[in-house]
Amino acid sequence: MAMMRAAQYDRYGPPDVLYEGKVAVPRPRPGQLLVRVQATSVNGGELSARAGKLRLLTGKRFPKGIGLDFVGEVADPGSGDSGLLAGDRVWGTLPRTAEVDSRSGAAAEYLAVDADRVSRAPAGLTPVEAASLVVAVVPIIGLRDKAHLVRGERLLVRGASGGTGSLAVQVGKAMGAHVTGLAGPSNLEFVRGLGADEVVSYTTAGPADLGSFDVVFDTVGTDLAAFRRLLTPGGRMVAISFDLEHIARSLGSIAASAVHGSRRVRFFSGNPKRELMAEVTRLAESGQLRPVVDGVHPLSAIAEAHRAVEAGGVRGKHIIDVDGSGQAAP
């Protein structure tokens, strides 16, 4: 049985529970491809799952793998009609259920994935650069499909310097919005460099100081009710996270918004397939999205990558360079 390296953990806890283990190379089922993974990124949901904050969903089955998005090459195109050949550079995401039931996530040398979740990766980007952009599917879904953002509207991005927020700023600008980025004081110029029209420090301005917005894109998840009050009549709020320390209050705020008034909070978790990944490829190749990489780590140092993200102050994405070729030109 062929074996491969994969990031795993045997119990819930801090980043130190993560280690590089050995597992069997997966065998693709009908309709799946086998991808040789070159790079993956660290996402907030993975931190919560590893820490045990989602244990009611993730259960007690160990060991668990980790990682949802990936960039790599087709190792085995399978028997389906995906149009992809061995050696093609691809990217995509695992289904969100992988956070719940997975022994081997995307932080592994090989990955069996449904063909309809895989698209050709953008030309001209290294695997590390491309891995920082996969999560752009989330603000595209949130701003285009959930909030229906239109040109000229005022958009507030909360958590604008992070892995998803930094891309929400760029997606918002590409859609023609007036973008205000809310971030830490050390990251204001960074967010301005992403294209934000205005930048505000959350240490010096509370929600009541920010003015009104047609759309709020929230990556933080706390105080949702306070930020919902910033919406104009008919405004829309999209939240991709909620307060795991006060789950009932956070979910209650989201539920109440659907009943009281027009300023509804829309919570969702991105789960894209090929067509949406192809849209991100188009935006990247056109230059409307640019990679933002905060740090690059080998697979053996995945615990270090998780610590870096948990420390806060992140600018873009922390990337796991799985095969050591992530910085090489495609």
Side-chain angles (χ1 to χ4, degrees), residues 33-36 38-39 70-75 84-85 87-92 113 118-122 130 134 277:
L33 306 172
L34 183 68
V35 176
R36 184 175 67 84
Q38 295 174 308
F70 59 88
V71 176
E73 294 180 346
V74 176
L84 296 170
L85 303 174
D88 284 347
R89 173 70 59 82
V90 294
W91 65 352
V113 60
V118 178
S119 172
R120 295 184 187 276
V134 178
M277 292 306 308

Side-chain angles (χ1 to χ4, degrees), residues 48-252:
S48 299
R50 184 219 70 228
K53 295 180 179 180
L54 304 175
R55 69 180 69 205
L56 291 177
L57 295 174
T58 54
K60 300 178 180 180
R61 184 183 183 187
F62 292 99
K64 295 184 184 295
I66 202 160
L68 288 175
D69 55 56
F70 59 88
V71 176
E73 294 180 346
V74 176
D76 181 352
S79 58
D81 186 22
S82 67
L84 296 170
L85 303 174
D88 284 347
R89 173 70 59 82
V90 294
W91 65 352
T93 69
L94 292 173
R96 288 296 176 181
T97 53
E99 289 180 327
V100 176
D101 183 19
S102 176
R103 293 190 176 185
S104 176
E109 289 185 290
Y110 289 91
L111 180 67
V113 60
D114 293 347
D116 65 357
R117 306 193 71 86
V118 178
S119 172
R120 295 184 187 276
L125 297 180
T126 69
V128 160
E129 290 170 334
S132 76
L133 290 179
V134 178
V135 77
V137 295
V138 174
I140 290 175
I141 294 172
L143 296 177
R144 186 190 67 185
D145 302 335
K146 301 293 184 179
H148 304 292
L149 179 71
V150 299
R151 181 173 298 277
E153 288 193 310
R154 289 178 53 80
L155 166 67
L156 173 67
V157 177
R158 188 178 178 212
S161 68
T164 305
S166 61
L167 291 166
V169 170
Q170 297 183 63
V171 170
K173 287 303 298 181
M175 295 179 68
H178 180 281
V179 179
T180 298
L182 187 62
S186 63
N187 287 329
L188 299 184
E189 289 307 310
F190 165 73
V191 174
R192 194 185 306 277
L194 296 174
D197 299 285
E198 299 179 46
V199 292
V200 181
S201 170
Y202 61 73
T203 63
T204 58
D209 304 313
L210 297 174
S212 61
F213 299 90
D214 301 294
V215 175
V216 174
F217 186 90
D218 191 296
T219 72
V220 180
T222 58
D223 301 320
L224 293 179
F227 283 90
R228 181 189 172 214
R229 296 188 193 103
L230 306 184
L231 294 173
T232 60
R236 294 86 70 202
M237 182 174 180
V238 177
I240 65 168
S241 181
F242 58 87
D243 188 353
L244 291 172
E245 303 301 325
H246 303 90
I247 294 177
R249 181 194 307 169
S250 187
L251 293 181

